[in-house]
Amino acid sequence: MTEMLDTAQPNKAHYLSAVDTLRRGSYPAWLAQVRQAGAARFSETEFPTRRHEDWRFTNVAPIITTPFRPLTGPEDWNVSVSDLESVLFGTAGWTELVFINGYYSAALSRIGSLPKGVVAGSLADAISSGNKLAEHHLSVRRESGNVFNALNTALLQDGAFVHLHAGAVLMFPIHLVHVTTGLNEPVAANPRNLVVLGRDAQADIIESYVNIGAGAYFSNAVTDVALESGARVHWHTLVNESEEGYRLGSTRVNQDRNSAFRSFAITLGGKIVRNELTTVLDGEGAEATLNGLYLTGGEQLVDNAVAIEHAKPHCTSWIGYKGVLDNASSAVYSGKIKVRRNAQKTDSRQLNRNLLLSDRATVNTKPLLEIFADDVKCTHGATVGQHPKEVIFYFRSRGMNEAMARAMLTYGFADEVINQIDIEPLRRRLDRAVCERYSPI
Amino acid sequence: MLEIRNLHASVEGNEILKGINLTVKAGEVHAIMGPNGSGKSTLAQVLAGHDAYEITAGSVRFLDQDLLELPAEERARLGLFLAFQYPVEIPGISNAYFLQAALNEIRKSHNLPELDAMDFRELLNDKMELVAIDPRFAERPVNEGFSGGEKKRNEILQLAVLEPRLAILDETDSGLDIDALRIVSDGVNKLRSPERATILVTHYNRLLNYIVPDVIHVLVNGAIVRSGGKELALELEEKGYDFIREELVAP
């Protein structure tokens, strides 16, 4: 059987022919090299099967066997602002950049109030205008991610580029809206985002991953984030893909000293969703606070793979992910904390809590610690459960029936994550989404 | 208001209540005292409708209804309230949200209009003042991270908001310092009225210095063995529960 799986590795030809198409275009030499390295890694790396430890509970066969058409340039997808009404915030001052199938749409985007020293726009534009910072960050990192990251790099064209110069502080969030179309045929979108915060810069970033149209599609996003010393970002990733939408997304953060990365990874929809988030605490005093919430139903599969590498001493990290699973859905959580030998005085905690609303739902949770230093404080834990009977009785003794008690408790469980979001319009929108999904009042 | 006749209840095959008889009229305050393990809390939980207990004999009528036939939530809507000995913590749900939902469920069952958030908040503020609770508690998750005393006061706040006909306070005094005890007692006393009744379940008679009962019952081994006026509390204070046990054994 395992032999069979090996030989059954699906053809990568359609992706590689897209790589060829791009090779014939005119691009800077450094970009051609970056893509070439990505293509080489993509070719030599197998698609994961469930025998791969990191993918044991996440079967990506439906993604690799569907002949998604990779894109080599923007096309006319006929998307209008009215299609995005429920996604865009339209709040005064906000910058909202819209990407259709990975390509920037100036017509659908809106640049809000940005202070001096802030660039927010298209990565393709940054590349074609010879932006040295983009070149540096894209070429310095040798593609070492998984096969899907390699595919993204092999087809690297466009996505969001955000750069805050040293000391720049955003007054309003930047919202990156990634729309994948399931309109006519199954397409594979490969948005590539690059966000760089200079020394002591501060920003609120929201990424939304959504779709238009009813068909299948594959969103394969890679986002690289670099925080220079003292930079602080509040990062929010909202995944609300369709019932036929596949998403694999990787966010890769590098943190210099005293920087702070605080994130919320919220998954509300998608057929198969995997959110990878890794951060390297690469300077003393860096902090990472990674919050997550996944609400699943139907036969959805949502996988959150989180990894923090403590590379330097005196860094702190906290991971708190919560899930609510209904019907025959399943969720996977893995949280790897690696503490390098010299990373003394590391303070790291992680907790994954899951609420099962149905007997058919399943969770696989795996918090992991790999510690090579000796003076560290690390805790981890995971829970899977249902609403306690005594708590339900408490509601009933106050006049509320069991269904109402369960609904309110589920809402409360999920809302604990949402309530920590500082951006009010975002918090209210998510609170409403959670409330509508679970609460009767 | 409440009439308990020969009530027997057991949990996992062990009989805990062995023939309770008790009548409580509107306007009265009754205290049920007894040693640990005598069945006081079981009686409170059985009346509130906890389904861990099996009723094996007897009847309970409350406001002319067969109480034992009703699920817990309908007992609450009818006007029965249990202040828990160990109130549970409810993460993620604010006190205000919880109480508004509870009050509106009760109001709906009486064909009263539901209160909107504004009207409810006004009511809640008044009640918080009545039971001397910091207004910031409204936004805190129900009982989460509350001290023992804060949880008990929060039960009294719920009592004040829901205004039940019959309040059963299960060991509400335990774990309270003297100031908290005074505040809790003041709250209960302010809510006394000719239409309402209270049952105080307590181990110690300390509470009875603050809330003076009309009748005291002594519960031992699942049955009420003595009933009397407040002088009974003094006798218990002096002699402890042992003297009653001895009386029971003596012919």
Side-chain angles (χ1 to χ4, degrees):
Chain A
M1 184 63 197
T2 52
E3 286 302 311
M4 290 277 294
L5 280 172
D6 272 342
T7 53
Q9 272 284 320
N11 200 335
K12 293 175 177 169
H14 56 303
Y15 290 121
L16 291 169
S17 89
V19 171
D20 274 343
T21 306
L22 287 180
R23 197 176 286 145
R24 289 194 294 273
S26 75
Y27 293 95
W30 67 264
L31 179 59
Q33 273 174 22
V34 169
R35 284 184 189 150
Q36 187 49 46
R41 186 167 171 84
F42 175 67
S43 304
E44 72 200 21
T45 315
E46 284 182 6
F47 281 121
T49 68
R50 298 182 65 175
R51 287 177 296 122
H52 293 71
E53 184 58 28
D54 288 348
W55 298 82
R56 241 175 86 198
F57 302 107
T58 301
N59 181 7
V60 289
I63 299 176
I64 45 197
T65 54
T66 306
F68 292 107
R69 181 170 69 90
L71 302 168
T72 51
E75 297 167 15
D76 183 10
W77 286 293
N78 251 326
V79 179
S80 65
V81 172
S82 60
D83 294 323
L84 303 173
E85 220 167 354
S86 64
V87 183
L88 295 169
F89 283 88
T91 313
W94 287 32
T95 294
E96 300 195 278
L97 308 179
V98 178
F99 302 84
I100 308 297
N101 293 328
Y103 301 96
Y104 181 61
S105 165
L108 298 172
S109 300
R110 192 173 60 112
I111 306 294
S113 148
L114 293 173
K116 259 197 156 93
V118 177
V119 179
S122 141
L123 183 63
D125 289 351
I127 290 168
S128 63
S129 66
N131 187 299
K132 286 291 163 199
L133 189 91
E135 176 183 341
H136 169 74
H137 280 276
L138 291 173
S139 38
V140 75
R141 180 196 275 273
R142 214 188 134 72
E143 185 54 66
S144 60
N146 65 40
V147 64
F148 299 106
N149 299 162
L151 173 63
N152 179 286
T153 299
L155 296 173
L156 195 162
Q157 298 159 74
D158 199 4
F161 175 62
V162 176
H163 177 216
L164 275 73
H165 285 266
V169 176
L170 285 188
M171 297 298 290
F172 300 98
I174 294 177
H175 184 199
L176 312 175
V177 182
H178 291 280
V179 183
T180 314
T181 59
L183 291 169
N184 305 311
E185 53 166 344
V187 296
N190 288 281
R192 178 63 165 245
N193 307 303
L194 176 62
V195 176
V196 181
L197 268 72
R199 201 158 32 81
D200 297 325
Q202 292 181 31
D204 286 322
I205 308 278
I206 304 169
E207 300 178 282
S208 292
Y209 290 89
V210 296
N211 85 299
I212 291 176
Y217 59 88
F218 173 30
S219 164
N220 181 40
V222 171
T223 303
D224 288 321
V225 181
L227 302 184
E228 292 175 16
S229 66
R232 307 182 79 79
V233 66
H234 285 194
W235 190 276
H236 313 77
T237 303
L238 311 183
V239 178
N240 199 0
E241 304 286 8
S242 78
E243 285 174 15
E244 292 186 70
Y246 299 108
R247 160 182 154 89
L248 302 177
S250 287
T251 301
R252 313 183 294 191
V253 187
N254 198 280
Q255 295 186 240
D256 207 337
R257 53 188 303 140
N258 297 324
S259 65
F261 182 76
R262 181 170 189 246
S263 70
F264 291 87
I266 315 280
T267 304
L268 303 175
K271 188 172 187 180
I272 296 179
V273 171
R274 177 165 159 119
N275 305 311
E276 294 184 357
L277 173 57
T278 57
T279 183
V280 181
L281 301 172
D282 206 11
E284 291 192 18
E287 286 173 31
T289 308
L290 315 182
N291 303 287
L293 178 67
Y294 41 97
L295 310 177
T296 66
E299 295 186 348
Q300 267 184 288
L301 166 64
V302 175
D303 177 350
N304 280 283
V306 187
I308 297 180
E309 181 175 337
H310 281 261
K312 295 281 157 60
H314 296 284
C315 293
T316 56
S317 63
W318 153 250
I319 307 176
Y321 271 59
K322 291 176 95 174
V324 179
L325 292 90
D326 205 350
N327 312 117
S329 64
S330 51
V332 182
Y333 168 85
S334 67
K336 282 186 202 167
I337 308 272
K338 183 172 182 175
V339 181
R340 290 234 197 108
R341 192 191 310 270
N342 68 331
Q344 303 295 2
K345 303 288 180 192
T346 285
D347 186 347
S348 170
R349 286 169 294 155
Q350 73 166 312
L351 184 58
N352 172 230
R353 296 178 61 199
N354 296 281
L355 183 61
L356 297 182
L357 302 182
S358 145
D359 293 340
R360 294 177 298 147
T362 53
V363 178
N364 286 288
T365 175
K366 197 173 59 175
L368 266 181
L369 283 172
E370 258 185 88
I371 304 175
F372 300 99
D374 49 21
D375 183 12
V376 302
K377 205 158 71 190
C378 294
T379 63
H380 66 154
T383 64
V384 178
Q386 297 172 339
H387 297 306
K389 278 196 175 124
E390 287 309 313
V391 175
I392 288 173
F393 176 61
Y394 192 75
F395 276 83
R396 295 180 61 209
S397 78
R398 300 298 181 249
M400 295 169 273
N401 66 21
E402 179 164 344
M404 188 169 180
R406 289 184 184 283
M408 283 178 70
L409 284 167
T410 304
Y411 166 63
F413 181 86
D415 222 39
E416 269 194 306
V417 178
I418 305 294
N419 277 333
Q420 297 175 59
I421 293 174
D422 291 334
I423 302 169
E424 210 201 325
L426 175 63
R427 188 180 62 241
R428 267 190 287 137
R429 178 182 287 188
L430 289 170
D431 176 66
R432 204 162 48 233
V434 174
C435 193
E436 277 168 11
R437 195 156 169 153
Y438 299 116
S439 187
I441 58 169
Chain B
M1 174 179 280
L2 180 76
E3 203 166 313
I4 306 176
R5 290 282 164 266
N6 189 34
L7 182 65
H8 290 252
S10 50
V11 60
E12 288 165 4
N14 295 324
E15 187 166 61
I16 315 259
L17 301 183
K18 302 171 180 173
I20 301 269
N21 290 292
L22 177 66
T23 302
V24 177
K25 296 199 176 75
E28 291 180 344
V29 174
H30 288 236
I32 296 180
M33 305 186 67
N36 287 332
S38 57
K40 302 189 302 289
S41 283
T42 298
L43 177 61
Q45 298 264 321
V46 163
L47 292 176
H50 197 296
D51 50 19
Y53 302 94
E54 193 193 345
I55 312 298
T56 51
S59 67
V60 180
R61 292 198 72 75
F62 174 58
L63 295 173
D64 293 324
Q65 295 217 35
D66 182 350
L67 190 72
L68 301 178
E69 285 296 306
L70 301 175
E73 59 271 26
E74 285 181 27
R75 299 181 192 195
R77 293 171 196 161
L78 195 57
L80 188 142
F81 179 91
L82 170 64
F84 281 60
Q85 183 177 6
Y86 303 109
V88 299
E89 299 190 3
I90 311 176
I93 298 178
S94 74
N95 252 331
Y97 184 72
F98 178 81
L99 267 176
Q100 187 187 349
L103 181 62
N104 280 335
E105 284 302 291
I106 292 169
R107 290 178 64 92
K108 269 195 286 188
S109 74
H110 293 277
N111 296 316
L112 292 168
E114 294 185 44
L115 293 187
D116 64 21
M118 293 267 278
D119 289 341
F120 175 75
R121 187 44 72 99
E122 214 166 292
L123 173 97
L124 183 63
N125 287 343
D126 289 349
K127 301 296 185 181
M128 291 185 113
E129 208 177 300
L130 182 77
V131 297
I133 280 185
D134 186 330
R136 280 174 299 188
F137 271 61
E139 295 313 320
R140 285 179 54 183
V142 181
N143 292 326
E144 194 186 40
F146 288 21
S147 71
E150 286 171 342
K151 284 181 183 170
K152 297 297 175 77
R153 274 158 72 175
N154 203 32
E155 293 291 286
I156 302 306
L157 172 65
Q158 295 184 11
L159 172 67
V161 170
L162 302 180
E163 297 191 312
R165 299 290 301 277
L166 173 65
I168 303 167
L169 276 57
D170 187 6
E171 307 263 2
T172 298
D173 50 334
S174 64
L176 291 186
D177 64 29
I178 202 75
D179 290 331
L181 185 65
R182 189 173 292 128
I183 289 165
V184 164
S185 312
D186 280 356
V188 173
N189 285 329
K190 282 178 195 157
L191 296 167
R192 278 175 97 151
S193 88
E195 297 85 47
R196 298 192 204 148
T198 306
I199 297 176
L200 307 169
V201 173
T202 180
H203 184 77
Y204 305 103
N205 59 16
R206 193 172 68 137
L207 180 66
L208 308 185
N209 296 329
Y210 296 90
I211 309 173
V212 180
D214 299 300
V215 191
I216 294 176
H217 310 275
V218 181
L219 188 66
V220 175
N221 195 23
I224 290 174
V225 295
R226 282 275 295 271
S227 297
K230 51 182 182 269
E231 64 286 348
L232 186 53
L234 298 173
E235 200 179 339
L236 287 170
E237 168 110 308
E238 211 173 296
K239 302 178 181 169
Y241 289 110
D242 286 344
F243 93 98
I244 288 183
R245 285 205 190 93
E246 282 156 20
E247 274 184 6
L248 289 175
V249 189

